[in-house]
Structures are given as structure tokens and as C-alpha cells.
Amino acid sequence: MRARLLSTISTIIVLVTVLAACGQPAAQQPTSAPNAQPTAEVAATTAAVPTTAAPATGAAPADTLRWPVEGLSDLTSLDPAKPGDAPNNTVITLIFSGLVRLDANLEVQPDGASGWKVSDDGKVYTFTIRDGLKFGDGSAVTANDFVYSINRALSPEVGAFAASSHFGHIVGAQDVVDGKAKTASGVKAIDDKTLEVTLDAPIAYFLALLTYADTFVVPQKLVEGGANWQESAYGTGPYKVKEWKRGQSILLETNPNYWQGQPGIPKILMPFTKDSETAYQLYQTGELDIEGSGQNPVPAAHIPDVQGQPDFKSAAQLTTRYIGFNVEKPPFNNVDVRRAFALAVDKPTLANQVLAGGVVAADRILPTGLVGTQLPIKPLAYDPAAAKDALTKAGFTDAQGLPEITLAYGQEGDNETVVQALQSMWEQNLGVKVKLQSFELATFSKNLDTTYYTPTEGLQFYYSVWGADYPDPQNFLSLLLHTGNPNNNGHFSDAQFDQLVEEADTLGDRTQIERRLQLYNQAEQIAIDKVAWIPLFYPKLNILVRPRVEGIVLTPQGLIVPDWSKLKLK
């Protein structure tokens, strides 16, 4: 299905490191349940939002945080089971929440659950539901609400796009996905306060997965109350929907029943801005308090203008921008053609000149800082002569005989600048004239779905992005490139790759970390050698935040709010 356009960088709820996931210790205290210390890379880049900035020139309401939804002309979903792209997910994670969350150090902490225990074999998780946990309407939340929500996300009627890959190791989950059962046998409410989840293997990344939106709890009364339930959505998150003006904005108000205490900012106004340039200009005129996100950072052309300002903040991200291929459509069903296109891309020039150093050139699929990247990969480095040789080997000397080639991309951020630079490189180094085809972001996502379901009718190749739902190699390699997985839009398939990641995915004991990462490393090398993707660059999280905003912390996974009661406007 859809290669989630940075959906999973959720700019509110950040996700756990692989070392945390591998540990799987019990977590029984209501205020502290870390799984591991953050990686050195995470610790080095986690920082508070700056406290001084250039003054705003527009009116700044004292009770409203102005935070744009960038990249969309309207939201496509507020359903946690179908979060879709990053802009939707940003709003969803303000309204809904799950069993666990992350603190400012990227450590797993209790959320809807006050704690949890893990069986000795790593297969059974027992969660204790927090005392006093309530939905936004004041109704109590029980373990049965989590059972309902998980089974709803699995159900074919709802059609959560990643149900099989995200929930597949829960016992009985696939039966629900396939329509053979209504409930997964591995998800049980022992009593109102106790939820038990049983896995078929000791999955290393399970706790991390529970921080993603499709596992969040939803109120059955609301979602079954009518087709327009999202217009007045509420959950167990810090905010709820007050007004959704289609095609304009969404206004959120505080959830008075939020377990952590009512947020310190009464309202969040989120205007929809189709591109980051528009959002940047609105910020400059004082009409926004935040500009930029993981998927739509401050436009590269403006970085020289703002990087000296105190409200500009930059951090590394666990995100990869890449070229994906539909290997079911010519000419990219030929690995030598894919290799030719990869070898013809000058990534340092793209990163440092075209994008003004606002990104880091990529030589592998896994982004810098992710656990596992300490193991080396032999990249496909820029080599125009080798690129031409590869195209000749494929049977297309001097690009003669190639079918028409069209690169698709979504309209957001610096995408147009990037694809035009790539177009020029391929023409200069291969003699190939690539046509460009742009789509509004939501339409581009639908076209990726079509590419998965009906590859012969889908995109030929495309410029896309993936950000960590949870910082684990599994989220990039197994989830995106294993044969048949829903997010494997391009249909890359390799038996040895599959075997390696399948073994790595089920090594859940802390003593097996080294072996697990070595397996992923071998699999990643196969994906590079067989050109499953062309990894282009790792974006930086370049954002602007006004000094009047207090209580937000910047991390490699985006902006988070450790304590919503301390989120304030000065």
C-alpha cells in the first residue's frame, strides 16, 4: 500500500529506540517505565526549543497556538486506524493516544497504561490500564476499549493499511484481517483494568510499535455513532476537535479529562497550507507560531536567511528521502537499469548545492543515527561512466530503445527543486529524458496505493520519503522491502533478503542484539546492490518556533510535549 509520507514522523508522539524495544523489561510504576537510555545520537540532538526570536508582526492571540498543517489542502483522515500521511498524523496524535508514549529522552513511558509486565519468553504483555483514564466526553476507559480498538484496526471493514505488517505477530490478528474472525485471540481483557496481548514470537520492536497511531484507543460510541464522527473527534489525547472548516483549518480545544492535566494552551488553530513556502511567508508576517515539520521543513532557499535567528532550530532526523521503482513495469524490472539511474545521481551536489546543505547525502537506506548504522554498507556511489555501462548492459546503449520514463512526486516542500535536479542529472549522465509528473499530496498517496494493488496501472517510479514510525531497522527494511508487505509499493522481492529480515525480526532478547543488527545489515546490502531504492538524502528537521511557546522539546523524531500541563504561551 501507501508508502506513508513520513507518517510516521508523528510530530507529537515520538517513538522508541531499538535498544529500548529489544530489552522488554517489566514496567510497573505509573510515572516511570523506561526501557533504555537514548542512543548517543538521540541524546546529542535532543534540545529545548529556543527562548528568543525575531518579533512577530501579526496579532498573536493569548489563548491559541497557531500551528499549520503543511502539505495538505485538507485533512484526509482523523481516524487513528488510518492515519495516512504525516500531516494527518500530526493532528491525530493531538486527539488520540495509546498504551505507551515517549518522554523527551525518547524513553518508553506509560500513557493509557500505568505499567506493564512481559512474560519470561517475551511473548505475553500484560498492561494495567491507568486509574481515572477517560475519553474526552468523560466516559471511563477500560481494557475492553483497547480490545475493541485493536480489533477495529484489524478488521477488513476499516481497512487499516498497515494492519498485517503492524499487527501480524499478535496471535489471531491475521484471521481478523482476512475476515475469518471478528476478534484476535491474542488480545484479551482480563478485567476492566488488565489487557493481555499474546505474540507468536518475542518481537523486538513490539513496545515501539504501540506508540504508533493505529494502536491508539478510540471510543466505540463515537466512531459507531455516524459517518461524520471525525467532525467532533475526541479520544484520550490532550485535545479534541472544536471546529473543522473543510479546506481551511481545524481548531482544537483542550480535553478537560486528559489524565496528565488540562493542557496549558486552551486552543490550537491549525490552518491547512498546501506548501511550506506559504507557511514560511505566514510565519514571517507573524500569523503562525510554528513553521516547518519533518516532512515540510523550512524551505531550503530560506535557510541562509533564518539560520542565524534564535527561533530557527535544526536537528538530524530518522528519515530517508528516496527514489522508489515499480519493478513490475519496464524498464525498472531490469536491475541494471535501476543501477544505471542510481549511479548517475550526484548526491553530494544535490544535498550541498541544490538543497543548500539543509540535508545530508545518503549512501544507505537506514538514516544516520538509527541503531544498526554503525555497521558499514558499500554504497552505489556517483559514477557516470559506470552508469552508462550499466545502461548498456541492460540493452539500452546511449539510452536508445528505452520506453517513456516518468517520475512522479507529491507537491510539498522542496520536492520540485529536487526532481528537477535529478531530471538534469539523468539527462546529462545517461542521455535519458525523464518526464516529471506532480500530484497533490493526497492524490500521490492514492497513486502509491494503486502501485501496490495494481502495479501495471501504478506509477513507474517515484520520489518519496520514509520517516521512522519507531526507530528500528525493521521499520525501514522489513516493513518496506519484504516481499508482499503492504508498504512495499515497488514490489521489490528477494528471497535471501526476506529470509534475513524474518530471522532478525524475531530476535527479541537483549543478548541477541548484535546478531539481529548483523542480519539487518546483510539485508540492507542486498537491497542496495539490487537497487530496491535510490536513497538520496536524510532531511534535517529545520523549523521555526516563536519564543512565546513554552513546553515543547525538539528531538530527532520531531517536536514533542513531555508534559501537556506545562505547554504555555508567554
Side-chain angles (χ1 to χ4, degrees):
M1 284 189 181
R2 163 178 328 177
R4 179 191 44 77
L5 299 180
L6 213 53
S7 93
T8 231
I9 292 189
S10 167
T11 52
I12 301 298
I13 304 297
V14 298
L15 307 168
V16 67
T17 66
V18 63
L19 293 179
C22 288
Q24 299 179 332
Q28 298 174 301
Q29 299 303 314
T31 58
S32 179
N35 287 56
Q37 293 300 315
T39 64
E41 293 88 347
V42 167
T45 53
T46 301
V49 169
T51 57
T52 59
T57 58
D63 65 346
T64 305
L65 176 66
R66 301 162 302 169
W67 188 350
V69 179
E70 299 183 44
L72 291 180
S73 56
D74 201 352
L75 298 171
T76 56
S77 174
L78 283 180
D79 188 344
K82 298 190 291 185
D85 302 332
N88 296 289
N89 214 38
T90 298
V91 185
I92 288 171
T93 52
L94 286 164
I95 301 168
F96 300 93
S97 60
L99 291 162
V100 295
R101 65 188 183 118
L102 277 240
D103 64 14
N105 294 318
L106 304 188
E107 296 177 357
V108 176
Q109 294 291 335
D111 195 356
S114 59
W116 60 89
K117 297 179 180 179
V118 185
S119 63
D120 290 342
D121 64 2
K123 295 182 181 181
V124 182
Y125 288 73
T126 305
F127 298 92
T128 300
I129 306 305
R130 178 179 300 279
D131 289 338
L133 186 66
K134 296 180 180 180
F135 288 118
D137 66 345
S139 58
V141 179
T142 70
N144 277 308
D145 291 304
F146 284 93
V147 174
Y148 165 78
S149 300
I150 292 172
N151 282 300
R152 176 179 178 272
L154 289 168
S155 68
E157 292 79 14
V158 171
F161 78 89
S164 294
S165 54
H166 280 186
F167 298 97
H169 284 287
I170 296 177
V171 174
Q174 194 59 45
D175 288 339
V176 182
V177 173
D178 295 338
K180 298 177 181 178
K182 291 296 184 181
T183 59
S185 58
V187 182
K188 297 178 181 179
I190 305 304
D191 54 43
D192 283 352
K193 289 291 184 182
T194 310
L195 175 71
E196 182 181 273
V197 181
T198 302
L199 308 178
D200 62 10
I203 306 304
Y205 52 89
F206 182 65
L207 285 176
L209 180 58
L210 294 179
T211 62
Y212 188 59
D214 57 9
T215 67
F216 288 180
V217 65
V218 297
Q220 184 175 1
K221 180 177 69 173
L222 173 70
V223 300
E224 295 183 359
N228 297 323
W229 67 268
Q230 296 182 41
E231 303 285 343
S232 55
Y234 59 83
T236 56
Y239 287 85
K240 57 183 181 178
V241 176
K242 180 175 179 63
E243 183 180 26
W244 183 352
K245 294 182 179 179
R246 293 287 185 172
Q248 298 181 43
S249 64
I250 189 166
L251 179 64
L252 307 181
E253 62 182 352
T254 55
N255 173 5
N257 301 294
Y258 184 54
W259 71 265
Q260 199 179 34
Q262 193 159 332
I265 297 178
K267 293 179 286 187
I268 300 180
L269 176 63
M270 309 186 82
F272 308 137
T273 59
K274 196 171 182 180
D275 58 79
S276 55
E277 178 63 31
T278 299
Y280 176 82
Q281 296 301 331
L282 290 171
Y283 185 90
Q284 291 302 311
T285 58
E287 297 174 64
L288 296 175
D289 295 304
I290 297 174
E291 196 280 309
S293 64
Q295 188 164 320
N296 289 276
V298 173
H302 296 299
I303 290 176
D305 301 325
V306 299
Q307 61 185 359
Q309 296 180 9
D311 53 348
F312 174 74
K313 194 67 177 177
S314 181
Q317 287 194 83
L318 299 180
T319 301
T320 303
R321 284 273 183 182
Y322 68 95
I323 294 296
F325 300 100
N326 181 350
V327 302
E328 298 292 324
K329 289 185 94 169
F332 298 117
N333 56 339
N334 187 318
V335 67
D336 288 309
V337 174
R338 303 198 299 270
R339 182 173 291 110
F341 273 69
L343 292 168
V345 175
D346 185 350
K347 298 176 188 178
T349 294
L350 181 64
N352 299 322
Q353 296 183 28
V354 177
L355 294 175
V359 303
V360 177
D363 58 6
R364 65 192 301 165
I365 293 168
L366 300 182
T368 302
L370 188 69
V371 175
T373 54
Q374 68 271 30
L375 300 178
I377 285 291
K378 183 179 179 181
L380 290 177
Y382 177 54
D383 189 335
K388 290 181 179 179
D389 289 345
L391 200 60
T392 297
K393 183 180 177 182
F396 303 106
T397 302
D398 295 329
Q400 297 300 309
L402 280 171
E404 182 178 275
I405 295 178
T406 302
L407 177 69
Y409 65 98
Q411 298 166 355
E412 58 168 345
D414 295 310
N415 283 10
E416 186 172 356
T417 300
V418 171
V419 297
Q420 288 176 350
L422 293 171
Q423 181 187 46
S424 177
M425 290 177 188
W426 287 322
E427 182 169 5
Q428 178 179 344
N429 296 323
L430 293 176
V432 178
K433 293 186 177 181
V434 175
K435 292 187 176 181
L436 302 178
Q437 186 174 25
S438 69
F439 296 96
E440 196 275 331
L441 198 58
T443 303
F444 178 70
S445 295
K446 291 179 181 178
N447 287 335
L448 288 174
D449 287 349
T450 299
T451 307
Y452 173 77
Y453 286 117
T454 315
T456 56
E457 298 176 9
L459 303 174
Q460 189 181 38
F461 79 138
Y462 46 90
Y463 172 58
S464 193
V465 61
W466 189 264
D469 294 330
Y470 37 94
D472 188 298
Q474 185 273 345
N475 188 240
F476 284 82
L477 300 175
S478 311
L479 192 66
L480 300 176
L481 296 174
H482 186 285
T483 302
N485 265 9
N487 284 295
N488 186 354
N489 300 308
H491 300 273
F492 173 76
S493 180
D494 181 86
Q496 186 180 4
F497 176 95
D498 292 350
Q499 183 179 1
L500 289 165
V501 298
E502 286 168 7
E503 181 181 351
D505 289 351
T506 56
L507 297 179
D509 190 88
R510 183 176 291 274
T511 61
Q512 299 172 310
I513 290 176
E514 184 177 351
R515 169 66 176 164
R516 183 170 185 259
L517 296 181
Q518 288 174 345
L519 291 168
Y520 284 133
N521 183 255
Q522 294 174 47
E524 184 182 9
Q525 188 65 66
I526 291 172
I528 292 294
D529 292 343
K530 297 193 175 181
V531 204
W533 286 2
I534 304 175
L536 296 173
F537 58 85
Y538 311 124
K540 293 180 182 178
L541 179 57
N542 296 323
I543 63 170
L544 294 164
V545 182
R546 297 217 176 273
R548 78 186 196 113
V549 182
E550 293 185 336
I552 293 182
V553 174
L554 181 66
T555 80
Q557 285 287 89
L559 294 171
I560 69 164
V561 178
D563 185 340
W564 286 96
S565 66
K566 296 180 180 179
L567 178 68
K568 297 178 180 179
L569 294 174
K570 290 194 293 185

